[in-house]
Amino acid sequence: MNQAFRKKIKRNDRIARWVITVGGMAIIFSVIFILVLIAKVSLPLFLPPDAELHASTRMPRVENIRAVGMDEYLETGYVIDASGTIRFFNVKDGAPLDQELLSGAGGNRSLLAVETYGRLNHVLRWSDGSLTIDQVKFRPYFDAENDNRRSILHRVESLASFPVPATGPGVQTLARVGGEGRQVRIDLYSDNRLLVQLIEVSENFLGEEEVTEAEHQLAFDTAGDVSALVLSSDGTRLYAGTKQGELLRWDLSDSEEPTLLEKIQAFADRREITVLNLVYGDVSLAVGDSTGQVTTWFPVRDDSGVWKLTRIHDLSRHSAPVAAISPSPRDKSVISFSSEGLLVDHMTSERSLLSLGRKDRLQLYSMTTRGNAIMGLTDDGRLQSWKLEIPHPEVSLGTLFGKVWYEGYDEPVYAWQSSAATDDYEPKLSLTPLIFGTLKGTFYAMLLAVPLAIFGAIYTSQFARPRLRALIKPAVEVMAAIPTVIIGFLAALWLAPLIERSLGSLFLSLVLVPAALMISILAWQGARKIEPLRRLERGFEFLAVAPVVILAMAIAAGLGPGLEQTFFAGDLKQWLFTEMGTRYDPRNCIIIAFAMGFAVIPIVFTIAEDSLSNVPSSLKAASLALGASRWQTVWRVILPSASPGIFAGTMIGFGRAVGETMIVLMATGNTAIMDLSIFNGMRPLSANIAVEIPEAPVDGSLYRTLFLSAVILFVMTFIVNTVAEIVRQRLRAKYGRF
Amino acid sequence: MTTLKIENPVIEVEDLRFFYGESRALHGIDLKFPEKRVTALIGPSGCGKSTLLRCFNRMNDLVDGSRVEGQVLLDGENIYDRNTDIIELRRKVGMVFQKSNPFPKSIYENVIYGLRIAGENDKALFDERVETSLKGAALWDEVKDRLNESALGLSGGQMQRLCIARAIAVNPKVILMDEPCSALDPKSTARVEELIGELRENFTIIIVTHNMQQAARVSDLTAFLFEGNLIEFGVTEQLFVKPQNKQTEDYITGRFG
């Protein structure tokens, strides 16, 4: 070999080594890069919430402030003082903008108290006992002539006014104006009487307005005096709490007949209920008590079917009695207020989000309609505003993986339900049912695919004629090339209805096919004495088996309907439901087992077949020469030696099934339930991502949760593959090396 | 072709013809193998000596498209009879292969493999057979302390002796050896040859070898095959010293092969 040629070889070696190294590193790098990219999107879910002091100003010459508020752009703030004047000001520098007298003001009436609900609706209580409801509205305006500069327009709208009742004003009053012309005023008198005044405006069939007015005294009997009251924003539900820890609930929806729904001893230790309010959506009742604890309650149906207020979530605890509770106008967050300051919690996730104004000694506060800022009034007259950064209050590890007691549910559940038709709906983002769905679908697919693939591989590699093997192997590998969308399509539109129609036959064939095989094997013992038939034993067994199996299936198909008729009252699905308590979904695990199994079989088969064929024939010969039968040889020598490869094939199949999307998307029904039943569908992580990502607002909780589920999917396949590789190495060290 | 008087033949081959598909590998072989003797089959590559050896335990059945005509009698019974139990046959006729092929199991499990597949489950019997077989294969002293270690950790010569131990553990009548030393170094070869000498006291041994010195050293009788025909069969010393046939002489003197 001449020198130049030798050099060339060495150079090529070097280049090849570099190319391979760079390629390998690039693959590792891009996999890590993808993981980092996905993880980065999901990470903000777990960032702690943040509040930043936005401004701290003072309005000169304004005293006796009864309410504060601010627009959601954090530009215009307002205060309402005892004279009934609303003054708007610039949040940043406190510069006064304009002011106006509220509709109820006038004469020598002064404003005693303001209660705020919903979107900056202020219930104003005047010194003469009358109530008015005014709403402050903000609207951004873009000035087209002035470079589209944004300015915030504001106005005050009078919604309703309630005169003093004949019996005089109560010590506590409530008023709400509902969306459909319903106005309710509640007066609580010091002798524990409650007066309800209702005005309902309805349209009769001629299209004329009819006004119904009603007044009721609510009778009730409690151990302690009523200390807290709250009315739902549509005025149909009234709640009261007492000094002895009792809770009462009335239904006011029938204006003729308000009914006391229940009275419960909420706290066994009879602690005083100091404040009540309704969480956004008006279903959950937030209760603040004298111990400083904030709890939320909602009616749950008990065993006898009666709705009963039940303590659901325990939120933060103040060290002083709770003085006020207000809901976030945007989500299920609850702001509670005591002399200690403000605490913001998310009800469902029970996450303690923020603690504000601990040192500022706040007297009043209010949240913007978008829930992005809080303005408070300190006792020395400063107007403090905080900008809140709580992007994902409803997400915590508990809500992602644990059981959560959602509003309106009878018990804590794992639930995935990301969207609904109403605004006050809370998304249910538990990943547990999805992980469960992935594992369930994979389990059933593997249950079908692995035995079929491995036995197929054993037969093909050890028993079939080489010529046959040369046919079977590529044919099975072609199966892997079928687009999964076609498999899913066939499974959903052809297989699912077929199996639904012939469920009885399917189960019958599970019995008949093995039975027929047993019988035919027994029969074969006689038939094999005939020479031409005996030749089948050497690699053409399937020719004898196929007709038996087909015949057994045909018989099952024929007998199935009769079986259902005789033993299952004509409908197996109905029987399953009534007798076994199992619902039959048309798209269920049977379908998935067939469809996804079909997709997994080629992978497991090919790898298993390769490793079985690669067992040195010398081992097979050694075993046979010692008098082992073909089956003994396979079982005792070939299978252990090929086990690393078979295991690897199974695991790669597993990884494939976990990540499979199109088939499960089309053939599972995508119901996020946690039920092991083979007759139910599921919603796996992969299909969930495919279904929901187009509808998920970018950077929203759903969006990030979907990315998190992608990380989980990634990690799952990573773990499966790593475990597979480790086990494979172990097996290889034990059985390999020939 | 000489006719040798054989007493107590264990295997009698009568007009054995063997076909791989259409091509004929053996053209009517007639041979008798005496009991508890070592018989060597020699001949150039492709002469059919391995094929002939594999006919004695029907390992050739595994070859696709092969066909046998004629008879092989083991203790007077034709092993190619339709009613022959191949498994029983292979328990009587053990085999050691050219390349040592221990199973990827422990030394212990390798030795008792033949017993296990026969449905034997007696631990005491296993222990006893492992010891006697390994002693019989002159391996006992080397491995007695590591019987539960993988057989794949042994040296090449040890592996081959393990294969012999595995073959004798089931107590066969006949042991077929297909070039058992061709993959071994001279020292290991000497051990195995020595072992063959010891084994002839209990077993009938038929050995295929390329190495004529080996045939001369270990065998009592030698058969020379050429192109699927038996050319000469005789007592080893005579065949090597005074071959009757020209082809035999050419072969043993190294003129071809």
Side-chain angles (χ1 to χ4, degrees), chain A residues 92-110:
Chain A
K92 265 291 176 197
D93 54 15
L97 298 171
D98 57 337
Q99 63 183 71
E100 63 180 286
L101 222 48
L102 292 171
S103 60
N108 49 6
R109 282 189 293 185
S110 64

Side-chain angles (χ1 to χ4, degrees), chain A residues 27 41 208 213 441 468 509 624 637 733:
Chain A
I27 288 169
V41 177
E208 295 163 338
E213 288 191 39
L468 197 64
S509 67
L624 292 172
V637 176

Side-chain angles (χ1 to χ4, degrees), chain B residues 203-219:
Chain B
F203 305 98
T204 305
I205 294 172
I206 305 172
I207 178 168
V208 165
T209 179
H210 247 109
N211 181 331
M212 278 168 288
Q213 285 81 5
Q214 185 174 59
R217 280 196 299 270
V218 300
S219 67

Side-chain angles (χ1 to χ4, degrees), chain A residues 50-113:
Chain A
D50 188 34
E52 167 197 340
L53 189 64
H54 177 66
S56 178
T57 57
R58 200 181 282 275
M59 285 203 81
R61 297 183 312 282
V62 178
E63 278 161 7
N64 298 327
I65 293 175
R66 300 283 186 247
V68 295
M70 184 168 51
D71 75 301
E72 61 192 52
Y73 299 93
L74 285 74
E75 288 180 9
T76 311
Y78 62 89
V79 297
I80 302 174
D81 67 12
S83 69
T85 312
I86 181 164
R87 297 162 199 271
F88 292 92
F89 65 97
N90 185 312
V91 169
K92 265 291 176 197
D93 54 15
L97 298 171
D98 57 337
Q99 63 183 71
E100 63 180 286
L101 222 48
L102 292 171
S103 60
N108 49 6
R109 282 189 293 185
S110 64
L111 187 58
L112 294 181

Side-chain angles (χ1 to χ4, degrees), chain A residues 17-59:
Chain A
R17 196 170 63 235
W18 271 103
V19 168
I20 290 164
T21 310
V22 167
M25 295 306 279
I27 288 169
I28 293 171
F29 178 76
S30 44
V31 168
I32 292 173
F33 183 69
I34 290 170
L35 183 60
V36 167
L37 217 60
I38 301 172
K40 218 180 117 202
V41 177
S42 61
L43 201 64
L45 282 177
F46 303 105
L47 293 182
D50 188 34
E52 167 197 340
L53 189 64
H54 177 66
S56 178
T57 57
R58 200 181 282 275
M59 285 203 81

Side-chain angles (χ1 to χ4, degrees), chain A residues 340-546:
Chain A
E340 289 271 284
L342 291 171
L343 291 178
V344 183
D345 294 87
H346 190 267
M347 174 181 78
T348 312
S349 67
E350 298 187 6
R351 260 178 88 187
S352 176
L353 299 170
L354 287 171
S355 166
L356 286 178
R358 205 159 238 286
K359 287 169 293 193
D360 298 304
R361 290 202 293 207
L362 294 178
Q363 296 190 309
L364 293 169
Y365 69 93
S366 100
M367 194 180 226
T368 60
T369 50
R370 216 171 73 192
N372 58 340
I374 288 182
M375 170 166 277
L377 174 70
T378 64
D379 68 343
D380 59 353
R382 270 181 302 122
L383 290 158
Q384 298 248 66
S385 49
W386 289 273
K387 204 173 170 176
L388 309 183
E389 197 58 56
I390 318 175
H392 311 289
E394 71 275 43
V395 176
S396 70
L397 286 179
T399 57
L400 285 176
F401 299 104
K403 274 193 173 176
V404 179
W405 202 334
Y406 291 106
E407 213 168 52
Y409 280 60
D410 291 345
E411 58 191 354
V413 288
Y414 299 107
W416 175 275
Q417 201 173 355
S418 57
S419 56
T422 57
D423 282 345
D424 57 3
Y425 174 82
E426 70 182 315
K428 299 168 182 65
L429 302 177
S430 175
L431 294 177
T432 312
L434 307 179
I435 295 171
F436 178 88
T438 291
L439 294 177
K440 180 185 173 190
T442 307
F443 170 76
Y444 282 112
M446 299 302 276
L447 200 64
L448 183 91
V450 169
L452 272 181
I454 292 180
F455 283 120
I458 291 173
Y459 181 78
T460 314
S461 69
Q462 302 300 321
F463 296 93
R465 291 285 177 100
R467 239 179 317 148
L468 197 64
R469 182 178 164 237
L471 257 166
I472 291 177
K473 196 143 185 263
V476 174
E477 279 159 5
V478 163
M479 271 170 73
I482 299 174
T484 51
V485 65
I486 292 175
I487 300 176
F489 176 78
L490 284 176
L493 296 180
W494 171 74
L495 188 64
L498 181 72
I499 287 183
E500 192 179 4
R501 270 201 311 277
S502 46
L503 196 61
S505 307
L506 179 76
F507 283 107
L508 198 57
S509 67
L510 288 184
V511 181
L512 281 187
V513 170
L517 283 177
M518 295 289 182
I519 293 167
S520 62
I521 286 169
L522 288 180
W524 187 256
Q525 300 305 322
R528 73 196 289 269
K529 297 205 171 74
I530 305 159
E531 186 54 36
L533 285 179
R534 195 173 171 179
R535 280 202 201 137
L536 287 176
E537 274 186 25
R538 293 185 58 178
F540 290 101
E541 295 91 341
F542 70 98
L543 286 182
V545 169

